[in-house]
Amino acid sequence: MVEPTGLAERWVREGFARGEEKAMREVVGIYERSMHSTAATLLKDREMARDVVQQALLRAWLAADSYDPSRDMWPWLKTIVRHAAIDAFRQDRKHMQCLSIDDKAARSLDVEASFEESILAKWEVDHALMSLAPEQGDVIRLAYIEGRSQREISREVGVSLGTVNNRIRAGRIGMRMLLRDGSFRAAS
């Protein structure tokens, strides 16, 4: 993925947030391949991944006014792709249930079961993150999802390195408790 730099980057981000069609075309050109790679990795189905990318691009376009152009675009788009992949997976699962597939045969497909568990685990983590105090959720997201160092987070958030460390520790404890509690587990 080759992101634009400097003024071009700012123009694309700001133009996209204003809903400019030319900026959207630039976004598609820059991020479509990475979006497809993310969707294909999650779904293990390249054809379904293409549909998911189209759905994610549509969602991004419709939500362009909620995008903050001062922030990197890729993490925002990647989240939209992940959510679209989860929705597609669930929709496909419902479709498969409607086809009256023998339950025993379906259960024997360990790969499908582990994939479902993986998607559900990601969903649980996303929802647990949203349940944390905002200052904890933000630093956890920056550290573990965006891969930023504690020093980078400290500069971006505007707090001391010790505060970042404490928020990450508290956020990890909170995540562990929320995920252990099981309140985010989907009903079987």
Side-chain angles (χ1 to χ4, degrees), residues 16-17 19 56-68 76 80:
F16 179 85
L57 286 167
L58 177 62
R59 288 180 186 184
W61 181 246
L62 294 173
D65 61 338
S66 70
Y67 169 67
D68 177 2
W76 183 75
I80 293 171

Side-chain angles (χ1 to χ4, degrees), residues 33-48:
R33 180 175 281 166
S34 296
M35 292 171 78
H36 186 269
S37 176
T38 298
T41 299
L42 290 171
L43 295 168
K44 309 293 186 230
D45 181 331
R46 298 187 75 68
E47 192 70 31
M48 189 185 287

